[in-house]
Amino acid sequence: MDRVRVSILGATGLVGQWMIKLLANHPFIEVAGLSASPGKVGSKYGDVVHWFIPGDIPEYVRDMVLVSTDPADHKTVDVVLSALPNDVAWSAESKLVNAGINVVSNASPERMNPRIPLINPEVNWEHLNILREVKNNWIVKNPNCTAAIISMPLKPIQDLIDALHIVTLQAVSGAGYMGLSYLAIDGNVIPFIKGEEEKIDIEINKILGKQFLDRYEPWSRPIYVTATRVPVKYGHTAVIHAILNRDTDANQIIERLRGFRSLPQEKELPTAPREPIKVLDRVDAPQPARDLDPMAVSVGRVVTRNNVLRLVILGDNLVRGAAGITILTIETMKALGLL
Amino acid sequence: MDRVRVSILGATGLVGQWMIKLLANHPFIEVAGLSASPGKVGSKYGDVVHWFIPGDIPEYVRDMVLVSTDPADHKTVDVVLSALPNDVAWSAESKLVNAGINVVSNASPERMNPRIPLINPEVNWEHLNILREVKNNWIVKNPNCTAAIISMPLKPIQDLIDALHIVTLQAVSGAGYMGLSYLAIDGNVIPFIKGEEEKIDIEINKILGKQFLDRYEPWSRPIYVTATRVPVKYGHTAVIHAILNRDTDANQIIERLRGFRSLPQEKELPTAPREPIKVLDRVDAPQPARDLDPMAVSVGRVVTRNNVLRLVILGDNLVRGAAGITILTIETMKALGLL
Amino acid sequence: MDRVRVSILGATGLVGQWMIKLLANHPFIEVAGLSASPGKVGSKYGDVVHWFIPGDIPEYVRDMVLVSTDPADHKTVDVVLSALPNDVAWSAESKLVNAGINVVSNASPERMNPRIPLINPEVNWEHLNILREVKNNWIVKNPNCTAAIISMPLKPIQDLIDALHIVTLQAVSGAGYMGLSYLAIDGNVIPFIKGEEEKIDIEINKILGKQFLDRYEPWSRPIYVTATRVPVKYGHTAVIHAILNRDTDANQIIERLRGFRSLPQEKELPTAPREPIKVLDRVDAPQPARDLDPMAVSVGRVVTRNNVLRLVILGDNLVRGAAGITILTIETMKALGLL
Amino acid sequence: MDRVRVSILGATGLVGQWMIKLLANHPFIEVAGLSASPGKVGSKYGDVVHWFIPGDIPEYVRDMVLVSTDPADHKTVDVVLSALPNDVAWSAESKLVNAGINVVSNASPERMNPRIPLINPEVNWEHLNILREVKNNWIVKNPNCTAAIISMPLKPIQDLIDALHIVTLQAVSGAGYMGLSYLAIDGNVIPFIKGEEEKIDIEINKILGKQFLDRYEPWSRPIYVTATRVPVKYGHTAVIHAILNRDTDANQIIERLRGFRSLPQEKELPTAPREPIKVLDRVDAPQPARDLDPMAVSVGRVVTRNNVLRLVILGDNLVRGAAGITILTIETMKALGLL
């Protein structure tokens, strides 16, 4: 298979580090460039990164010299992966696209742009098909980490759902490495995450809807979300109470969740989980400290009562919710001949 | 005012310790006896208790000699407060009642007994009126800690509610001092608490319903509950999505919550919070580490969208949810002339 | 008693907030001014402070308008309390002194200046006597929080000590409110705190030594320190192995520690702990979560073996170690007629 | 190589689980039996174990039927590994030895028995040589977890040391899975671990001494230890201040530590770390959350001042300190022809 050459924007941040880690020894994606904030450009990655994720810095990036986000520094790659902070992302990303460079981005700006596909590969890879009609260059966005995790188990039961009540218990790493001080969150629950509830609502509705060349048709279900931060390092938990359009046996739901497979599984893409939705039988599952899977979403406590379905779900906010989903998007696009 | 003499069953446990602390210097309730498990009977309280709540052991109990739970050891008190573990509670409590001794109990057995009032004073003190017709002795139960906290802010908006979706984030102390090991819960969320969800559902329905001499009429609203345990020491948080029977402005809800006063406030009972429901304006409130009030329930993030109301509430599981509610029940009964 | 009018520099920081809290309702110290960083000058304190210490903002400061650190803004006070960050402290403090304004400061620069007394009131209030000979204005420094806590129990046994081995387990709040992220310190030990070990060594040697007008004579004992950060919010623990110059019974040590009283106790100063060193009998004391006293130092595990004495000590890094020590210094100077 | 058949006593506990995990796919040690407390005997391991260590239960043990600790149940194995609780260990272990079965044990009783070798393989594998002269069966003990970790970096600098001051910061898992409740240790330091300080002192002196057939000659250095428990899940940290018999450059110490290799390394035993002592250059190393190695001891902050050497060391209390050391002991005995 042809290799895909990529560069990574925001390579020293938490998501950038995970991208680098996940791409070490990738069968066909090759990291050809790393960019960081202006003060670090010109330095070797290993000299300036404060590596804080588990394991050592992969050898292959230690001596790579950091470049800027300017298009001139990314001429030779097939696609740029953006893990930029939200406040600077769009300015850099749009410059790249305008200069003829394709981008897959984790950053939030323009996710709801009607012409930009918002991709969670197993859930809505079909939305990528509009790129076949796009004349020039494109940008593809990945969803908010929580929307990425939640939309997965909703996909196979989408037709049953009238409305959703969601409460999230989100890990501290979702706010970045320095995002929350120990004094603020240890032994505490903070029942507010700026902008998060709106993103979860509208992004899930976009992902589960239809995408056309110049517009999208949302799923149009009311999604009531309360987002909280809990003292957990890695792994977002969400409790979902789904109002179904008909009484449904919990076993039927479990069967649909367990049986769910999509293009990434069929094509056996390297980063795809074999079983994208893991329904756990333990009565007290899923727990971030015990059940976290990098790319699959874990589901437990599946119960129906009247027409209300309850699911407790858990996903890795940095892998499935950020670095991994971007890489799986690239792999999916390659499999579809779009790269 | 006449003094009320009480004894405390389960005096060495977490709830018993809080009762002792709250009753130090009480204006009219006097602790006349303490009982603990058989192995400790005959010892001085201060010698055998492993005191683990904040502050020192109150002087007044240090030298009290522990007694058994047998009726013979409680002949001289006006009422026995039970903080016994659930597995031994009913056997001891029913023996006391049969021997002619009144009991107010925190333990869960027989809370749903149709002839036993389940009391959260501000919410349903009227249920105590059936005791005027009870010929012999009585037992009064206090609700599950989470039901006690949640039923408070529901009271003033009860008429607006059709159904409830509740997700709790409960503190570790709810499981007792040794209830959860550090390895099990630190940095983790455990989305299951045995028996809790059922209790919250049926107890709230009893508290918000009507009590007759030999039966109760439940509120009869569907309450869908998911209970989780989070690494917080003290303070249960609950996220409530209430389905209202009509679109309602959030300000109207806030007004009702803030304006709520009940008998304990009118009678200025010593343990009653002046303002039983505190609506906080801070966008990220309530937080257990910052906003915990011993007897009031804190409320934040009050929003309505369509006919869905969202509240995030917080209460002290050991005080409002256990030791304090029992004492406030005694005070309320005294004010009603029932003691 | 005449009132002492003070202003507080760095009033919005963690130490500044504690000063404000401790000075609410002080019998003779009155807060007449608050200063903060330039961007906040002119705003009301209550509008710009992010209040993160326990309890609410004291009413008396809510509407105070923040001023700069310029001498012109502090003309009417008797003494300025500095809780400034170390990098900006000396520049502001020396301007004030040069303009004829006295300063008591928590900030580290110039603590080892031979002409500046470094004061832990119970331990070396006599060092303040040099101010009687100072012609112009003065600055008094308070020690590093850990040096403040450790020097207290050393004072009454100072004559027995040849050398010290100290390992500290320091609370996160010592690094300031945003000092350490949850991801960095939760479930972790960081065995390094920049500059801390040197400060503890030389400051203890200055405090336990002699102060003359233009120089000081250090105690001159080797103090080997290893400083670590542990996931505790408040309260620095230190394990001390003291090499004694003669075999000494532990009970003699305990007697000296328990009997220690100094000028602040004799004068019954408002902020002075009645018993400055609390020797605890519990075998597993002192613990930050159970035994923290705001102004006293708690001591446990007192054992001697051969000529080695072991003490485990605990003190409140924000009160005894910072805000409280500054206030006690003012009170002591007032009692000495120096203010 | 001939296979070694072993059985594991205490197979459902924390250390037993680690032994099972480490022995999955071992090149020559084969688990032929698992024993647990009487109530579980006869059940399948997978049905009764509460598996709480990372990863899933290894498939190979799921269906193994649990046996008792009676010698009759261990007739066919070459050696029994004991991870029994201390209070029942010696009774079971001595019965096995008396019945002609060899035992390697982690449990503390009889570690100081002058006829029993106390083995930390890299440090004192020579002590095993006495077994060549033992006529009947033998029992070999492994040290306390902290003594195992600390004795490693002392070995290559043993000749320089006159005395030791040690402060440990030990992980919660050292007390077993249920050993410490969240309420007791979260956000806290407990400066006392029953019996620990004595064990560390005398066991290190035995390990670094000489072993004869019927007695041992201790190293005879005074070791002053203070043991504390900190809110860390895995990994014991120790701060060591060593009094050297001569001034020594830190670089010489580092060279000796880095260069240390022993029999397990020379024989390339499967569980032996290639580099048993890892000296880390990062100024804030070693940290349990970042630097924990299963079998090697990490060392940082190596400094000498006068004749005092400071080391901060970190080791995995469950692997190097317990399950792994037992397995490495078996491998070492095999390499020596003693098994």
Side-chain angles (χ1 to χ4, degrees):
Chain A
M1 197 183 258
D2 286 352
R3 296 182 75 69
V4 179
R5 286 167 58 86
V6 304
S7 60
I8 298 172
L9 310 189
T12 57
L14 204 44
V15 174
Q17 292 186 21
W18 267 105
M19 287 179 175
I20 285 168
K21 183 181 168 109
L22 293 170
L23 288 174
N25 310 118
H26 192 281
F28 59 82
I29 302 177
E30 185 182 330
V31 178
L34 299 175
S35 101
S37 51
K40 296 175 182 158
V41 171
S43 300
K44 285 187 184 172
Y45 185 78
D47 292 346
V48 295
V49 71
H50 178 200
W51 187 262
F52 26 63
I53 72 172
D56 284 330
I57 307 183
E59 279 307 320
Y60 82 97
V61 289
R62 268 189 200 280
D63 293 333
M64 286 182 69
V65 174
L66 288 160
V67 298
S68 78
T69 61
D70 287 344
D73 282 351
H74 302 269
K75 285 292 181 205
T76 68
V77 303
D78 298 306
V79 59
V80 171
L81 311 192
S82 167
L84 287 173
N86 293 332
D87 54 342
V88 300
W90 186 245
S91 138
E93 294 169 0
S94 55
K95 256 188 233 164
L96 288 162
V97 175
N98 292 337
I101 299 168
N102 294 325
V103 176
V104 179
S105 164
N106 251 295
S108 64
E110 300 296 320
R111 277 189 194 139
M112 301 310 292
N113 184 321
R115 292 167 180 277
I116 292 183
L118 180 65
I119 297 299
N120 191 6
E122 284 89 346
V123 178
N124 68 336
W125 60 267
E126 291 96 336
H127 290 197
L128 290 165
N129 282 327
I130 65 159
L131 300 182
R132 300 189 193 280
E133 303 168 57
V134 169
K135 303 234 170 84
N136 300 311
N137 287 93
W138 44 257
I139 181 160
V140 168
K141 287 273 168 178
N142 292 125
N144 165 281
C145 50
T146 312
I149 292 162
I150 295 176
S151 56
M152 180 88 93
L154 294 182
K155 176 69 178 179
I157 55 173
Q158 177 173 6
D159 60 300
L160 296 170
I161 296 173
D162 269 354
L164 290 166
H165 293 275
I166 298 176
V167 176
T168 68
L169 296 87
Q170 301 188 210
V172 173
S173 58
Y177 189 71
M178 289 304 297
L180 276 158
S181 80
Y182 179 81
L183 291 185
I185 190 63
D186 179 66
N188 200 14
V189 168
I190 301 180
F192 177 70
I193 303 173
K194 204 173 155 63
E196 191 79 359
E197 296 165 356
E198 297 74 9
K199 284 180 196 160
I200 294 172
D201 173 4
I202 60 175
E203 294 187 14
I204 290 178
N205 265 305
K206 180 171 182 182
I207 295 168
L208 292 179
K210 287 179 185 153
Q211 179 72 49
F212 302 95
L213 191 56
D214 55 355
R215 66 184 176 92
Y216 69 91
E217 202 171 89
W219 186 38
S220 296
R221 294 300 185 285
I223 305 183
Y224 302 95
V225 185
T226 302
T228 76
R229 191 75 73 186
V230 291
V232 163
K233 285 188 183 173
Y234 306 105
H236 287 355
T237 299
V239 178
I240 300 176
H241 289 193
I243 315 299
L244 305 184
N245 49 33
R246 55 179 181 275
D247 285 12
T248 311
D249 188 76
N251 288 322
Q252 267 184 266
I253 303 287
I254 291 173
E255 213 169 285
R256 287 203 195 185
L257 297 173
R258 284 207 167 121
F260 179 64
R261 298 291 182 278
S262 179
L263 185 88
Q265 284 71 42
E266 286 153 23
K267 301 288 187 187
E268 297 183 349
L269 300 179
T271 303
R274 278 200 314 178
E275 200 184 358
I277 303 170
K278 292 168 73 170
V279 180
L280 305 176
D281 291 323
R282 229 177 56 241
V283 67
D284 61 356
Q287 296 176 29
R290 299 181 62 177
D291 302 307
L292 198 61
D293 185 282
M295 284 298 287
V297 175
S298 302
V299 179
R301 308 223 55 216
V302 185
V303 176
T304 52
R305 177 177 149 206
N306 308 329
N307 68 327
V308 175
L309 163 69
R310 187 257 310 282
L311 306 173
V312 178
I313 73 169
L314 169 73
D316 187 320
N317 54 301
L318 294 178
V319 184
R320 163 52 69 175
I325 201 173
T326 305
I327 294 167
L328 184 57
T329 301
I330 302 285
E331 294 171 359
T332 303
M333 293 176 77
K334 176 85 176 163
L336 289 169
L338 291 164
L339 254 182
Chain B
M1 197 183 255
D2 287 352
R3 296 182 76 70
V4 180
R5 286 168 59 86
V6 304
S7 60
I8 298 171
L9 310 188
T12 56
L14 204 44
V15 174
Q17 292 186 20
W18 267 105
M19 286 178 175
I20 285 168
K21 184 182 168 106
L22 294 171
L23 288 174
N25 310 117
H26 193 280
F28 60 80
I29 301 177
E30 186 183 329
V31 178
L34 299 176
S35 101
S37 52
K40 294 174 184 159
V41 171
S43 301
K44 285 187 185 171
Y45 185 76
D47 292 346
V48 295
V49 71
H50 177 201
W51 187 264
F52 27 62
I53 72 173
D56 284 330
I57 308 185
E59 279 307 319
Y60 82 97
V61 289
R62 269 192 198 279
D63 292 333
M64 286 181 70
V65 175
L66 288 161
V67 297
S68 78
T69 61
D70 288 343
D73 283 350
H74 302 269
K75 283 294 181 205
T76 68
V77 302
D78 297 308
V79 59
V80 170
L81 310 194
S82 168
L84 288 173
N86 293 332
D87 53 343
V88 301
W90 186 245
S91 140
E93 294 169 0
S94 55
K95 256 188 231 163
L96 288 163
V97 175
N98 291 337
I101 299 168
N102 294 325
V103 176
V104 179
S105 164
N106 251 296
S108 65
E110 300 296 320
R111 276 189 195 141
M112 301 310 292
N113 184 320
R115 291 165 180 277
I116 292 183
L118 182 65
I119 298 300
N120 192 6
E122 283 89 346
V123 178
N124 66 336
W125 60 268
E126 291 96 336
H127 289 196
L128 290 165
N129 282 327
I130 65 159
L131 299 183
R132 302 189 193 278
E133 304 169 57
V134 168
K135 303 238 171 80
N136 301 310
N137 287 95
W138 43 258
I139 183 160
V140 167
K141 287 273 169 178
N142 291 126
N144 166 282
C145 51
T146 313
I149 292 163
I150 295 176
S151 56
M152 181 88 92
L154 295 182
K155 176 68 179 179
I157 56 172
Q158 177 172 5
D159 61 298
L160 296 172
I161 297 172
D162 270 354
L164 291 166
H165 293 275
I166 298 176
V167 176
T168 68
L169 296 86
Q170 302 189 208
V172 173
S173 58
Y177 189 72
M178 291 302 299
L180 277 159
S181 79
Y182 178 82
L183 291 185
I185 189 63
D186 180 66
N188 199 13
V189 168
I190 302 180
F192 177 70
I193 303 173
K194 201 173 157 64
E196 191 78 358
E197 295 165 356
E198 296 75 8
K199 283 181 198 160
I200 294 172
D201 174 2
I202 61 173
E203 294 188 14
I204 290 178
N205 265 306
K206 181 172 182 182
I207 294 168
L208 292 179
K210 290 180 183 149
Q211 179 73 47
F212 302 95
L213 191 57
D214 55 355
R215 68 187 174 88
Y216 70 89
E217 203 172 88
W219 185 40
S220 295
R221 295 299 185 285
I223 305 183
Y224 302 95
V225 185
T226 301
T228 76
R229 192 73 75 186
V230 291
V232 164
K233 286 189 183 173
Y234 306 106
H236 286 355
T237 299
V239 178
I240 300 176
H241 289 193
I243 314 300
L244 306 184
N245 49 33
R246 57 179 178 275
D247 285 14
T248 311
D249 188 75
N251 288 321
Q252 267 183 267
I253 303 287
I254 291 173
E255 214 170 286
R256 286 202 196 188
L257 296 173
R258 284 207 167 123
F260 179 64
R261 297 293 180 278
S262 180
L263 185 86
Q265 283 70 42
E266 286 154 22
K267 301 287 188 187
E268 296 183 349
L269 300 179
T271 304
R274 278 201 313 181
E275 200 184 358
I277 303 169
K278 292 167 75 171
V279 180
L280 306 175
D281 292 322
R282 231 178 53 242
V283 67
D284 61 356
Q287 297 176 28
R290 298 181 63 178
D291 302 307
L292 198 62
D293 183 282
M295 284 297 288
V297 175
S298 302
V299 178
R301 307 221 58 215
V302 185
V303 176
T304 52
R305 177 177 150 207
N306 308 328
N307 67 328
V308 175
L309 163 70
R310 187 259 307 285
L311 305 173
V312 178
I313 72 170
L314 168 73
D316 187 318
N317 54 301
L318 294 178
V319 183
R320 164 51 69 176
I325 202 173
T326 305
I327 293 167
L328 185 57
T329 301
I330 302 284
E331 293 171 0
T332 303
M333 294 176 78
K334 176 82 177 163
L336 289 169
L338 291 165
L339 255 181
Chain C
M1 197 182 256
D2 287 351
R3 298 182 76 69
V4 179
R5 286 168 59 84
V6 303
S7 59
I8 299 172
L9 309 189
T12 57
L14 205 44
V15 174
Q17 292 187 21
W18 266 106
M19 287 179 174
I20 285 169
K21 183 183 168 107
L22 294 169
L23 288 175
N25 310 116
H26 192 281
F28 60 81
I29 302 178
E30 185 182 329
V31 178
L34 300 175
S35 100
S37 51
K40 294 176 183 156
V41 171
S43 301
K44 286 188 184 171
Y45 185 77
D47 291 347
V48 296
V49 70
H50 178 198
W51 187 264
F52 27 62
I53 73 173
D56 284 330
I57 307 183
E59 279 307 320
Y60 83 96
V61 289
R62 269 190 200 279
D63 292 333
M64 288 181 70
V65 174
L66 288 160
V67 298
S68 78
T69 61
D70 287 344
D73 283 349
H74 302 269
K75 284 292 181 204
T76 69
V77 302
D78 298 307
V79 60
V80 170
L81 311 192
S82 167
L84 286 173
N86 293 331
D87 53 343
V88 301
W90 186 245
S91 140
E93 295 168 0
S94 55
K95 255 188 235 165
L96 287 163
V97 175
N98 292 337
I101 299 169
N102 294 324
V103 176
V104 179
S105 164
N106 251 296
S108 65
E110 299 297 321
R111 277 190 194 138
M112 301 310 291
N113 184 319
R115 293 166 180 277
I116 291 184
L118 181 64
I119 298 300
N120 191 6
E122 283 89 347
V123 178
N124 68 335
W125 59 268
E126 291 95 336
H127 290 197
L128 289 166
N129 282 326
I130 64 158
L131 300 183
R132 301 186 193 279
E133 304 169 56
V134 169
K135 302 236 172 81
N136 299 312
N137 287 93
W138 44 257
I139 182 161
V140 168
K141 286 273 169 179
N142 292 124
N144 166 283
C145 51
T146 311
I149 292 162
I150 295 175
S151 56
M152 181 88 92
L154 295 182
K155 176 68 179 180
I157 56 173
Q158 177 173 8
D159 61 299
L160 296 170
I161 297 172
D162 271 354
L164 290 165
H165 293 276
I166 297 176
V167 176
T168 68
L169 297 87
Q170 302 189 207
V172 173
S173 58
Y177 189 72
M178 289 304 299
L180 276 158
S181 80
Y182 178 82
L183 291 185
I185 190 63
D186 180 66
N188 200 13
V189 168
I190 301 179
F192 176 70
I193 303 174
K194 201 173 158 65
E196 190 79 358
E197 296 166 356
E198 296 75 8
K199 284 181 198 161
I200 294 171
D201 173 3
I202 60 174
E203 294 188 13
I204 289 177
N205 266 306
K206 181 172 182 183
I207 295 168
L208 292 179
K210 288 179 185 152
Q211 178 73 48
F212 303 95
L213 191 58
D214 56 354
R215 65 185 177 91
Y216 69 90
E217 202 172 89
W219 185 39
S220 296
R221 295 299 185 284
I223 305 183
Y224 302 95
V225 185
T226 302
T228 76
R229 191 74 74 185
V230 291
V232 163
K233 287 189 182 172
Y234 306 106
H236 287 356
T237 298
V239 179
I240 301 175
H241 288 193
I243 315 300
L244 304 183
N245 50 32
R246 56 180 179 275
D247 286 12
T248 311
D249 188 77
N251 288 321
Q252 268 184 266
I253 303 286
I254 290 173
E255 213 170 286
R256 286 203 195 187
L257 296 173
R258 284 208 168 123
F260 179 64
R261 297 292 181 277
S262 179
L263 184 86
Q265 283 70 44
E266 286 154 22
K267 300 287 186 187
E268 297 184 348
L269 299 179
T271 303
R274 279 200 313 179
E275 201 184 356
I277 302 170
K278 291 167 74 170
V279 180
L280 305 176
D281 292 323
R282 231 178 53 241
V283 68
D284 61 356
Q287 297 176 27
R290 298 182 61 178
D291 302 309
L292 196 62
D293 183 282
M295 284 296 288
V297 175
S298 302
V299 178
R301 309 221 55 214
V302 185
V303 176
T304 53
R305 178 177 150 206
N306 309 328
N307 68 330
V308 175
L309 163 69
R310 188 257 310 283
L311 305 173
V312 178
I313 73 169
L314 168 73
D316 187 320
N317 54 302
L318 294 178
V319 183
R320 164 50 70 176
I325 202 173
T326 305
I327 294 168
L328 186 56
T329 301
I330 301 285
E331 293 170 359
T332 303
M333 294 177 77
K334 176 84 177 162
L336 289 170
L338 292 164
L339 253 183
Chain D
M1 196 184 257
D2 287 350
R3 297 182 75 69
V4 180
R5 286 168 58 84
V6 304
S7 59
I8 298 172
L9 310 188
T12 57
L14 205 44
V15 174
Q17 292 186 22
W18 267 105
M19 287 179 174
I20 285 168
K21 184 181 167 109
L22 294 170
L23 288 174
N25 310 117
H26 192 281
F28 60 81
I29 302 178
E30 184 182 331
V31 179
L34 300 176
S35 102
S37 51
K40 294 175 183 159
V41 170
S43 301
K44 284 187 184 172
Y45 185 77
D47 292 347
V48 296
V49 71
H50 177 198
W51 188 263
F52 27 61
I53 72 172
D56 284 330
I57 306 182
E59 278 307 319
Y60 83 96
V61 289
R62 268 190 198 278
D63 292 333
M64 286 183 69
V65 174
L66 288 161
V67 299
S68 78
T69 60
D70 288 344
D73 283 350
H74 302 269
K75 285 292 180 206
T76 67
V77 302
D78 297 306
V79 60
V80 170
L81 311 193
S82 167
L84 286 173
N86 292 334
D87 53 344
V88 301
W90 185 246
S91 140
E93 294 169 0
S94 55
K95 255 187 234 165
L96 288 163
V97 175
N98 292 338
I101 299 169
N102 294 325
V103 176
V104 180
S105 164
N106 252 295
S108 64
E110 301 295 321
R111 278 191 193 137
M112 301 310 293
N113 184 320
R115 293 167 180 276
I116 292 183
L118 181 65
I119 298 300
N120 191 6
E122 282 88 344
V123 179
N124 68 335
W125 61 268
E126 292 95 336
H127 290 197
L128 289 166
N129 282 328
I130 66 160
L131 299 182
R132 303 189 192 279
E133 302 168 59
V134 170
K135 303 237 171 78
N136 301 311
N137 288 93
W138 44 258
I139 183 161
V140 168
K141 288 271 168 180
N142 292 125
N144 165 282
C145 50
T146 312
I149 292 163
I150 295 175
S151 56
M152 181 87 92
L154 295 182
K155 176 68 179 181
I157 56 173
Q158 176 173 8
D159 61 298
L160 296 170
I161 296 172
D162 270 354
L164 290 166
H165 293 276
I166 298 176
V167 176
T168 68
L169 296 87
Q170 301 188 209
V172 173
S173 58
Y177 189 71
M178 289 303 299
L180 276 160
S181 79
Y182 178 82
L183 291 185
I185 190 63
D186 179 67
N188 200 14
V189 168
I190 300 179
F192 177 70
I193 302 174
K194 202 174 156 61
E196 191 79 358
E197 295 166 357
E198 297 75 8
K199 285 181 197 161
I200 294 172
D201 173 3
I202 60 176
E203 294 188 14
I204 290 177
N205 265 305
K206 181 172 182 180
I207 295 168
L208 292 179
K210 288 179 183 151
Q211 179 72 49
F212 302 96
L213 192 56
D214 55 355
R215 67 185 176 89
Y216 69 91
E217 202 172 88
W219 185 39
S220 295
R221 294 301 184 283
I223 305 183
Y224 302 94
V225 184
T226 301
T228 76
R229 191 74 75 184
V230 291
V232 163
K233 286 189 182 173
Y234 306 106
H236 286 356
T237 298
V239 179
I240 301 176
H241 288 193
I243 315 299
L244 305 184
N245 49 33
R246 56 179 179 276
D247 285 11
T248 311
D249 188 76
N251 289 321
Q252 267 184 266
I253 303 287
I254 291 172
E255 214 170 284
R256 287 205 197 184
L257 296 174
R258 283 210 168 119
F260 179 64
R261 297 291 182 277
S262 179
L263 185 87
Q265 283 70 43
E266 287 154 21
K267 301 287 187 188
E268 297 183 349
L269 300 179
T271 304
R274 279 198 313 179
E275 199 184 0
I277 302 169
K278 292 167 73 169
V279 180
L280 305 176
D281 292 321
R282 227 178 54 243
V283 69
D284 60 357
Q287 296 175 28
R290 297 182 62 178
D291 303 307
L292 197 62
D293 184 282
M295 284 297 288
V297 175
S298 301
V299 179
R301 307 221 58 215
V302 185
V303 176
T304 53
R305 176 177 150 206
N306 309 328
N307 68 328
V308 175
L309 163 69
R310 187 257 311 283
L311 306 174
V312 178
I313 72 169
L314 169 74
D316 188 320
N317 55 301
L318 295 178
V319 183
R320 164 49 70 176
I325 201 173
T326 305
I327 293 168
L328 185 58
T329 301
I330 301 284
E331 293 170 0
T332 303
M333 294 176 76
K334 177 84 178 163
L336 289 169
L338 291 164
L339 252 181

